[in-house]
Amino acid sequence: MDWMETLVVVVHVVIAVALVGLVLIQQGKGADAGAAFGGGASQTVFGSQGSGSFLTRMTTLLAIVFFVTSFSLAVFAKQRAEVAGEAGIPVVEESRQAPSEGAAGNGDAAKSEAGSGETDLPELE
């Protein structure tokens, strides 16, 4: 299972870099007006319509693959967390202690506890 997770992470990173590259290559919507007046769009590699539809389709495909790999990585992380919980790894839980009755107004309890040597904390001066 570990090699599968590594493969998904590698594909995820490659797709992310390719997705960023495709988005940066694409022209904005404002460039369509200049291309309509003979901007040389008929001599492009992708045909007379230009590269817009091809790049849009590739971006959509890469985005779908990116979401699938993201979801699968989340599933892998959930499985790892369940295995760690079953292995007996301690979980931090909040302790709810009732405040002592005289702790707020009486400093004698704190002095007696610090003076008895039961705590590992150094004394404050």
Side-chain angles (χ1 to χ4, degrees):
M1 188 71 160
D2 195 31
W3 66 271
M4 184 72 163
E5 186 177 357
T6 304
L7 178 68
V8 172
V9 168
V10 169
V11 169
H12 188 72
V13 170
V14 169
I15 294 295
V17 171
L19 194 58
V20 168
L22 273 176
V23 168
L24 290 175
I25 287 174
Q26 292 182 20
Q27 294 179 353
K29 293 287 183 186
D32 292 341
F37 298 106
S42 63
Q43 298 176 358
T44 62
V45 177
F46 302 108
S48 62
Q49 287 184 339
S51 62
S53 63
F54 174 75
L55 291 178
T56 303
R57 288 181 189 154
M58 287 302 297
T59 304
T60 304
L61 178 70
L62 286 178
I64 291 170
V65 173
F66 184 80
F67 286 126
V68 168
T69 57
S70 296
F71 183 75
S72 62
L73 287 173
V75 169
F76 286 141
K78 182 180 182 242
Q79 288 175 352
R80 235 177 235 254
E82 288 174 354
V83 169
E86 293 172 359
I89 297 175
V91 179
V92 177
E93 295 180 7
E94 289 185 31
S95 61
R96 296 183 180 172
Q97 298 176 353
S100 60
E101 295 175 7
N106 191 358
D108 294 336
K111 289 179 186 177
S112 65
E113 185 178 322
S116 65
E118 293 179 12
T119 63
D120 294 336
L121 299 173
E123 289 186 25
L124 297 175
E125 295 180 12

